[in-house]
Every structure is written in structure tokens, then in C-alpha cells.
Amino acid sequence: AQSVAQPEDQVNVAEGNPLTVKCTYSVSGNPYLFWYVQYPNRGLQFLLKYITGDNLVKGSYGFEAEFNKSQTSFHLKKPSALVSDSALYFCAVRPLYGNNRLAFGKGNQVVVIP
Amino acid sequence: ETGVTQTPRHLVMGMTNKKSLKCEQHLGHNAMYWYKQSAKKPLELMFVYNFKEQTENNSVPSRFSPECPNSSHLFLHLHTLQPEDSALYLCASSQGQTPNEQFFGPGTRLTVL
């Protein structure tokens, strides 16, 4: 079955510095990969996805993610973090073929320090 | 109203109570999902409905009973719950199941006493 690992519980970054949230995945065959963000008292919001093609995917709010097949990673990045980026970030994966189940990681709390 | 709505937003219930969670999507999607979110754990997929038909039941205890009367509405009926069932219950919808992204409601914060 597919799974996602988000190794860090919390990521602290100073405002204006680059932000990286790590994700590695395990799936049978080629993956579909997603990033979602959750603000307090809200549901998850879609940020970006990788299906096929260019390994660098650009998404909402200036976020991007790079698909690395050899390292089975899909790290989320933002060149310059804002205080408003403080939230819980989830990576998710499902296989290109086979079951439709989207497997989520446990989430990373991002804290951007003013 | 737009997007995915869930009611109630907060629910406190005893172990002998029966209650229901409601989800409504205004996006014209045909797939709907229930997830359980517990702190510092991955989101747990509970049920999937596609065109009102249940296509996934992720080994969920029978004290959780879903209902999908049409593609816009999804219910989760609760009875004789346990304290460990306390969590945030999220509803989501999508157009088809893959690879389209899922749109989530704000969730119902459930506390079982």
C-alpha cells in the first residue's frame, strides 16, 4: 500500500528565508503526488500536484515542489516565507494505476517567525 | 454557499448518544469522502462514495455508518462511540477520483465523553 513520510513534526523558519517541507513516498509504480495546507480551524486546501511531465511543479501562494523519482521525494519549497504561511502542511500520494486511495502523511507544522 | 460545508462544526456526545454529521458540496463533484484527523497522525480515509455508491470502506467500525443520498450530500451517522473516536472529521469531494484534487470542508470537531 502507498504511504508518505514527513519526517519533521515542526519546521521553524524566519520570515523572508527559504522554506522547505520534506516528503518522501512509497508507492507501487508511478505516483500522483499532492501538497495540501491546513490553516487553524479550516479544512485542507490544495496547493499543487504532480501527475507527469516537468519535475518542478508550481502551485498556489508562491509554493513549488520538486519531484525526484530516484529519491522518491516531493519536497515543498517557497523562496521567501511569510508569517501567513504558518500552517500545517500535508503531502499525499496515490499510484498512477490501481487503487484510488490517497495516502496522506502526518503533516508538518510550519512556524514562520517574524 | 460555495465549496464544501460541514455541520455541525463542533459536537460533544456521550458514548450512548446517536448523532449525525452532515456534509454538502456545491461544486458539482461526483465523488465524496470521509476522513478522520487525529493529532500528529496521518489522515485516515474512512469511506469513499462515487456517484452515490460506496466504493471504499477502510475497515471502519460499524459504529460509524455513512449515507450518501445524492452526489451533493454525505452523512456520517454515529452511535455508541468510544472516547478514542474523538477527532476532527473531514469531508471532501472531487470530480472523479483521480488525479483530480480533493476539496475539503472545515471539519466537525467531535468529542466523545
Side-chain angles (χ1 to χ4, degrees):
Chain A
Q2 53 269 31
S3 65
V4 164
Q6 294 182 248
E8 300 160 312
D9 281 343
Q10 182 163 313
V11 175
N12 296 326
V13 61
E15 186 176 24
N17 281 6
L19 169 63
T20 298
V21 188
K22 295 180 180 178
C23 169
T24 57
Y25 66 89
S26 173
V27 72
S28 186
N30 291 323
Y32 290 133
L33 291 154
F34 299 80
W35 274 102
Y36 287 82
V37 61
Q38 185 179 32
Y39 298 101
N41 302 313
R42 303 284 295 275
L44 277 67
Q45 295 179 32
F46 169 76
L47 274 180
L48 50 80
K49 65 182 176 185
Y50 171 82
I51 300 175
T52 186
D54 195 347
N55 289 344
L56 186 63
V57 179
K58 294 189 182 296
S60 307
Y61 313 120
F63 284 94
E64 58 187 29
E66 184 164 14
F67 170 61
N68 187 318
K69 188 172 184 177
S70 64
Q71 297 185 4
T72 61
S73 68
F74 190 56
H75 300 331
L76 181 70
K77 298 180 181 182
K78 186 172 183 180
S80 178
L82 302 173
V83 173
S84 57
D85 293 328
S86 298
L88 192 56
Y89 291 79
F90 290 91
C91 181
V93 68
R94 57 139 286 168
L96 185 65
Y97 300 110
N99 74 73
N100 297 321
R101 188 173 299 179
L102 193 59
F104 285 84
K106 62 178 175 59
N108 282 123
Q109 183 66 51
V110 169
V111 177
V112 182
I113 303 162
Chain B
E1 190 135 29
T2 59
V4 181
T5 57
Q6 290 186 244
T7 54
R9 293 293 308 275
H10 300 272
L11 178 62
V12 179
M13 60 186 289
M15 289 191 287
T16 58
N17 291 157
K18 289 184 179 182
K19 296 288 184 183
S20 295
L21 309 185
K22 179 183 176 183
C23 174
E24 184 173 1
Q25 59 97 359
H26 309 269
L27 300 168
H29 292 164
N30 50 36
M32 296 189 77
Y33 313 77
W34 279 118
Y35 287 90
K36 176 183 179 183
Q37 184 180 11
S38 303
K40 298 187 178 180
K41 292 177 65 177
L43 260 68
E44 299 174 46
L45 178 65
M46 300 175 72
F47 302 103
V48 181
Y49 279 82
N50 196 26
F51 290 104
K52 304 189 299 178
E53 298 298 320
Q54 187 180 120
T55 56
E56 291 245 11
N57 177 338
N58 193 18
S59 302
V60 180
S62 59
R63 57 186 184 270
F64 294 92
S65 175
E67 179 190 0
C68 189
N70 55 61
S71 292
S72 297
H73 293 85
L74 185 64
F75 294 89
L76 188 62
H77 303 301
L78 316 171
H79 64 99
T80 59
L81 294 191
Q82 305 298 311
E84 59 265 28
D85 296 323
S86 299
L88 183 67
Y89 289 84
L90 293 166
C91 174
S93 69
S94 68
Q95 185 57 38
Q97 292 192 45
T98 58
N100 295 317
E101 58 270 27
Q102 296 176 19
F103 290 76
F104 285 79
T108 295
R109 174 67 63 185
L110 174 66
T111 303
V112 182
L113 301 176

